[in-house]
Amino acid sequence: MIQNLILKLFSRSEKSQKIGYKLLKINDLIAKSKNGTEIIVSLIPLNKMQNTRQGLQQIEVGKRILLQSGIVVDLNLDGRTFYTSLHHLFKLNQRVM
């Protein structure tokens, strides 16, 4: 019981989520870094809750990046670049937002 509670708390506090996005792949894109490294990524929607008269609704407000490893990262404000870790900048060929 205590182990399950600890696992639930730990999984909620993780910044990178791996749950449920494998089925929501939109498309495969190639991202390149300055040193020539290429990775395959997918776009997933970034949903926020909006309060309406009919109740709460999920609204898509942007896109996020799903790496092949299952880690989800945010796009930068320009809509083309993202960081996988500290000082690891990757760039997409076209703007996705």
Side-chain angles (χ1 to χ4, degrees):
M1 176 90 178
I2 295 173
Q3 291 175 343
N4 290 339
L5 184 61
I6 292 171
L7 288 174
K8 285 181 184 179
L9 291 174
F10 180 71
S11 65
R12 287 182 186 166
S13 66
E14 271 189 63
K15 192 169 187 176
S16 60
Q17 300 173 355
K18 296 184 180 181
I19 302 170
Y21 287 117
K22 293 289 182 182
L23 300 175
L24 296 177
K25 285 188 177 181
I26 295 174
N27 52 1
D28 290 332
L29 301 169
I30 297 176
K32 297 178 184 179
S33 70
K34 191 93 170 178
N35 64 2
T37 306
E38 294 183 352
I39 57 173
I40 298 175
V41 298
S42 296
L43 295 175
I44 57 172
L46 173 61
N47 295 326
K48 299 283 184 175
M49 296 300 286
Q50 182 178 18
N51 194 8
T52 63
R53 291 182 182 179
Q54 290 79 26
L56 292 174
Q57 293 180 348
Q58 282 194 350
I59 305 296
E60 183 177 336
V61 294
K63 299 285 185 191
R64 296 179 95 184
I65 299 291
L66 174 65
L67 303 176
Q68 265 185 334
S69 61
I71 297 173
V72 177
V73 294
D74 292 328
L75 274 172
N76 291 338
L77 291 176
D78 63 357
R80 293 183 66 178
T81 59
F82 61 94
Y83 285 94
T84 56
S85 62
L86 188 63
H87 302 298
H88 289 269
L89 177 73
F90 284 88
K91 187 175 186 178
L92 299 170
N93 289 336
Q94 70 275 2
R95 188 172 178 188
V96 294
M97 293 182 80

